[in-house]
Structure formats: C-alpha cells, structure tokens
C-alpha cells in the first residue's frame, strides 16, 4: 500500500485545494492530510478565517481524503513514521529546501524512510490569498 501525505492550511477551501488533493490521491492508495493548527498558521502567515476544526471537517469530507488530522507543530517526522508515508506532496509554490525546513524534515530523513517528495504545479487562477484580496476589495 502506498501512503501519500499532504500538509496544509486549507483555509477558504476552493478548487485549487480540491485539485491538489485529487492529484495527490492519484499518486497512491491512501491520502492522509495534516491540517496546520490555527496558532501555528498565525505564527508564519495570518490567522485562518476558518477554525482548525472547521478546516478539518471540510478536508475530511473531500472524497479523495482517507484520513485527516490537525497538526500543531512544524515537525512532521513522527507522523511520517506513524502513517508509513511513501510520498509527500505539496504545491510547487514552495522551493524544495524551504518546504523541507518548514516541515522539519531533512533529505537524509526522507532517504532513510524511503519517502519521495512530489511538487505538483500550482492550480492557476485561484488561491486563498487572491480570494482574501477579492473579498477585502468588495464593498
């Protein structure tokens, strides 16, 4: 069984999120998703509009997702081992080295645990940041 892992905020869930999860699921047999907790997201981005629990329920409802949970720490090594992750997927809006630092994983750890990194092309024309700007500019 091939386990695929996606880590993300998933605030204001939109088509780009669905596409990421669909394409990630196609890479394996099971898709496990870690939802970054509210305080963690606020420390590096902004406070999410939707609570971590709301975001978790939305992601769990997506048909491509087999399991989802809230993660409140940057270090993902424990979860990679716990779920027997074979592939970690992220959008290509992050560079590889920066993303690995964000999730506290080294190339050596990935090699030791036989985990492949896959960066999928970002879905053009939609992003949470663009949605936020659009909402803020609508008066």
């Amino acid at each position: 069984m091939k386990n695929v892992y996606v880590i993300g905020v998933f605030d204001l869930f939109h088509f780009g999120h669905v596409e990421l999860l669909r394409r990630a699921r196609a890479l394996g047999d099971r898709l496990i998703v870690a939802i970054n907790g509210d305080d963690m997201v606020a420390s590096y981005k902004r406070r999410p509009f939707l609570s971590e629990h709301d975001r978790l329920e939305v992601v769990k409802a997506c048909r491509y997702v087999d399991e989802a949970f809230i993660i409140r720490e940057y270090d993902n090594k424990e979860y990679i081992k716990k779920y027997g992750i074979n592939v970690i997927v992220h959008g290509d809006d992050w560079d590889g080295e920066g993303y690995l630092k964000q999730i506290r994983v080294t190339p050596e750890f990935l090699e030791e645990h036989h985990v492949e990194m896959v960066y999928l092309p970002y879905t053009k024309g939609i992003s949470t940041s663009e949605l936020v700007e659009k909402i803020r500019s609508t008066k």
Side-chain angles (χ1 to χ4, degrees):
M1 179 164 295
K2 194 171 188 180
N3 294 316
V4 180
Y5 189 51
V6 172
I7 308 147
V9 178
F10 299 99
D11 198 17
L12 304 180
F13 197 80
H14 55 70
F15 177 70
H17 294 133
V18 174
E19 274 300 286
L20 174 67
L21 296 175
R22 181 187 66 76
R23 291 163 62 207
R25 178 63 171 77
L27 297 173
D29 301 302
R30 290 186 73 230
L31 179 59
I32 296 107
V33 179
I35 307 297
N36 290 331
D38 291 344
D39 292 338
M40 191 169 109
V41 176
S43 76
Y44 71 87
K45 197 174 193 172
R46 62 165 167 72
R47 192 130 195 99
F49 291 99
L50 301 177
S51 76
E52 60 191 29
H53 296 290
D54 288 350
R55 293 181 287 119
L56 174 64
E57 290 306 315
V58 169
V59 169
K60 283 170 57 175
C62 182
R63 68 179 176 158
Y64 304 114
V65 176
D66 295 292
E67 189 166 341
F69 62 92
I70 297 168
I71 186 169
R72 293 186 175 88
E73 57 198 328
Y74 290 100
D75 193 332
N76 279 262
K77 289 188 283 298
E78 170 190 335
Y79 302 98
I80 292 166
K81 291 189 276 188
K82 175 182 177 179
Y83 290 101
I85 299 302
N86 307 102
V87 180
I88 300 173
V89 174
H90 200 277
D92 66 0
D93 54 322
W94 279 73
D95 73 86
E97 187 177 316
Y99 185 66
L100 292 182
K101 283 182 184 176
Q102 173 82 357
I103 66 171
R104 309 302 196 262
V105 173
T106 64
E108 295 77 20
F109 175 87
L110 295 177
E111 186 176 331
E112 178 185 340
H113 292 87
H114 311 287
V115 179
E116 174 188 4
M117 280 299 309
V118 174
Y119 294 92
L120 295 174
Y122 206 70
T123 304
K124 292 183 187 342
I126 184 82
S127 76
T128 302
S129 297
E130 290 172 2
L131 284 176
V132 170
E133 278 307 308
K134 192 174 186 177
I135 291 166
R136 285 185 174 152
S137 69
T138 304
K139 297 199 183 218

